[in-house]
Amino acid sequence: MSNLSYINDNDGAWQTYLAQIDRVAPYLEHLKEYIDTLKRPKRALIVDVPIVMDDGSIRHFEGYRVQHSLSRGPGKGGIRYHPDVDLNEVMALSAWMTIKTAALNLPFGGAKGGIRVDPRSLSLRELERLTRRYTSEISHIIGPQKDIPAPDVGTNPHVMGWIMDTYSSGQGHTVTGVVTGKPVHLGGSLGRIKATGRGVFITGQQVAQKIQLPLKDAKVAVQGFGNVGSEAAYLFVQAQAKIVAIQDHTGTIYNPEGMNVDALKLHLEQHQGVAGFTDAKAISNDEFWTVEMDIFIPAALEGQITAERAQNLTAKLVLEGANGPTYPQADDILTQRGVTVVPDVICNAGGVTVSYFEWVQDMASFFWSEEEINQRLDALMIKAIHDVWQTAEEKVCSLRTAAYILACERILRARKERGIFPG
Ligand code: NAD
């Protein structure tokens, strides 16, 4: 239960996050007096974002930037433009960024921002005005040493370019390191777009070895075939696995023999999604959850693996490409059934890891090749998943709990070693 006066005790994402902290708390007895730090954001800013619309009228939007923890370094986390954005959601997303950066041992805290808006309802000029006004409203708390935003749902590299330009205008000089996920010619990093899918594959490959699941001929099912899902799936095919089922917003397709990836890529170039792909048959969205599979990659939305779906899922390995795809109860069922789940805070951390590389490159004004980026990404992800695996063995717990133990230890130790000002 939240003891913050500005948060209602409803079923929001913040309450899910608090429940996760309560689960890990028994493993952190030696740091228990600091655990409350995790249960409240360090700073939460709510801003009014008024803009002049194309028709001359004025509209007001609600914007947020929450810095959950800055104990280990500057805040890091995306900016979401979505009509459902609210303080509860942004707080939870910022807290999950704290856990993710600590789980990967990146020198960042966790932050997140957003505007309660449907970006598709705005013209390009209105979107630019909205982004620039929002940036100016939060500009006193962001910066390369303070808090570094990035794209999230509803925002993209183009939006990051406007943020960088607006912030730089206020500083009087170009500050590329204030955001990551920028276009490459504005100081963005090579390899960023494919990084999350690559991380899903790398962590999946490592864990498959541990549980003795051969990738050759392994049956892979993917929910969400966008940036994350498609890149991860293609890398599994390169490792001789087969894509047997895909579900996206247009429908669900299934081919137990494995789909022809070249034909699939061509189909996706010509259509909005997987529906209508002729090298597979269409099945119902419900059937997707029961097809025979070895590896399942949820890479679409949060809250997809319910208790009922967890009961029927045939996969031996679940790789959480999406953030928060598994309900806590479903997580317990999968664990009881012996299904290995690589949790989102490790599995999809490839994106924030290359964002870290982008920030380092911007600070040094020295840019690396894509090969170098991928090598460094692979090395960090492999180390992180091995550390989590070892902790899970030592503590006899799930990989999710192990990742939280490692991350929370790092965050709370930093808090302890810094001390509580003024002492
Ligand atoms: P994307 O927009 O490129 O792709 C989303 C995919 O989900 C699309 O294929 C879409 O058709 C599908 N989808 C949407 N609604 C669906 C529904 N109701 N049922 C089934 N499929 C549906 O997004 P992305 O960048 O690939 O992100 C996917 C997930 O990964 C999100 O949860 C995101 O938060 C998470 N994530 C992304 C990154 C990143 O770097 N892109 C990093 C960390 C986590």
Side-chain angles (χ1 to χ4, degrees):
M1 206 156 90
S2 163
N3 51 4
L4 301 171
S5 64
Y6 51 90
I7 281 290
N8 289 328
D9 283 316
N10 57 20
D11 285 336
W14 178 249
Q15 278 66 29
T16 303
Y17 165 73
L18 290 183
Q20 291 169 341
I21 294 302
D22 285 342
R23 278 183 177 202
V24 77
Y27 298 92
L28 299 167
E29 275 296 303
H30 53 298
L31 291 161
K32 71 172 178 230
E33 64 265 51
Y34 297 95
I35 284 185
D36 248 21
T37 337
L38 296 169
K39 295 187 175 182
R40 46 189 70 231
K42 176 177 176 62
R43 186 178 288 141
L45 179 65
I46 304 176
V47 292
D48 175 35
V49 190
I51 60 163
V52 180
M53 306 297 283
D54 290 346
D55 65 4
S57 64
I58 297 173
R59 273 186 71 187
H60 291 255
F61 296 89
E62 209 169 283
Y64 304 90
R65 186 71 189 172
V66 175
Q67 294 167 345
H68 173 259
S69 170
L70 305 178
S71 296
R72 301 180 61 257
K76 187 87 198 81
I79 291 176
R80 179 171 291 196
Y81 288 177
H82 192 278
D84 293 340
V85 161
D86 62 12
L87 181 61
N88 183 307
E89 180 185 71
V90 181
M91 277 170 53
L93 291 169
S94 70
W96 282 324
M97 285 307 299
T98 303
I99 303 292
K100 200 179 288 189
T101 56
L104 263 289
N105 212 0
L106 305 179
F108 291 133
K112 203 86 179 190
I115 304 179
R116 196 172 171 85
V117 61
D118 178 0
R120 287 167 304 188
S121 70
L122 301 184
S123 71
L124 196 65
R125 290 297 316 280
E126 289 167 344
L127 195 68
E128 179 174 351
R129 285 197 285 272
L130 181 81
T131 302
R132 289 187 182 278
R133 181 62 192 252
Y134 168 73
T135 305
S136 87
E137 295 296 338
I138 65 165
S139 63
H140 58 292
I141 63 164
I142 62 169
Q145 304 298 345
K146 293 179 174 176
D147 178 3
I148 307 124
D152 191 67
V153 175
T155 58
N156 54 31
H158 198 167
V159 171
M160 297 307 113
W162 289 328
I163 295 178
M164 195 274 268
D165 183 71
T166 309
Y167 181 83
S168 298
S169 301
Q171 300 296 308
H173 60 100
T174 297
V175 187
T176 51
V178 67
V179 279
T180 59
K182 299 180 293 296
V184 170
H185 53 275
L186 281 185
S189 179
L190 295 170
R192 171 64 186 88
I193 289 168
K194 291 183 173 179
T196 305
R198 186 179 178 89
V200 171
F201 170 72
I202 294 289
T203 52
Q205 186 188 41
Q206 297 299 312
V207 174
Q209 261 175 26
K210 301 259 188 209
I211 63 172
Q212 293 173 357
L213 172 65
L215 292 189
K216 187 169 179 341
D217 294 328
K219 294 179 172 168
V220 179
V222 191
Q223 189 201 34
F225 215 66
N227 177 5
V228 178
S230 65
E231 180 59 23
Y234 295 147
L235 289 170
F236 274 107
V237 170
Q238 276 177 27
Q240 297 185 294
K242 299 189 284 195
I243 308 177
V244 295
I246 305 177
Q247 181 175 89
D248 73 3
H249 72 288
T250 64
T252 305
I253 56 170
Y254 178 56
N255 179 348
E257 304 308 319
M259 296 176 204
N260 178 325
V261 169
D262 292 333
L264 180 63
K265 284 182 181 170
L266 201 63
H267 177 89
L268 289 168
E269 271 169 28
Q270 293 164 352
H271 301 85
Q272 294 288 317
V274 298
F277 180 54
T278 49
D279 186 42
K281 68 170 181 175
I283 59 170
S284 75
N285 286 348
D286 284 344
E287 265 178 284
F288 174 75
W289 296 96
T290 57
V291 301
E292 209 183 301
M293 60 176 93
D294 299 302
I295 298 174
F296 176 49
I297 306 175
L301 307 166
E302 59 273 6
Q304 291 300 296
I305 309 184
T306 58
E308 189 189 339
R309 289 171 176 174
Q311 206 60 262
N312 297 323
L313 204 69
T314 61
K316 301 174 186 75
L317 179 58
V318 174
L319 305 175
E320 291 188 341
N323 285 315
T326 311
Y327 283 106
Q329 202 193 345
D331 213 13
D332 293 341
I333 293 170
L334 292 172
T335 305
Q336 280 155 18
R337 291 187 53 229
V339 180
T340 304
V341 179
V342 182
D344 48 7
V345 290
I346 289 285
C347 196
N348 71 29
V352 72
T353 303
V354 174
S355 272
Y356 164 54
F357 297 160
E358 180 175 334
W359 177 76
V360 170
Q361 291 170 85
D362 287 341
M363 305 293 271
S365 295
F366 180 73
F367 291 87
W368 313 342
S369 69
E370 188 159 354
E371 195 188 8
E372 201 172 349
I373 284 159
N374 286 340
Q375 275 172 6
R376 289 180 192 265
L377 171 64
D378 294 357
L380 281 190
M381 298 288 298
I382 289 171
K383 164 132 182 49
I385 191 66
H386 279 260
D387 289 351
V388 168
W389 184 272
Q390 201 182 337
T391 303
E393 280 192 336
E394 277 167 25
K395 308 277 182 197
V396 195
C397 64
S398 69
L399 294 179
R400 190 184 314 278
T401 303
Y404 270 69
I405 293 172
L406 278 176
C408 293
E409 277 252 8
R410 288 179 183 140
I411 301 157
L412 299 182
R413 268 175 187 272
R415 188 66 269 151
K416 183 179 178 183
E417 281 159 22
R418 289 178 66 152
I420 303 287
F421 178 80

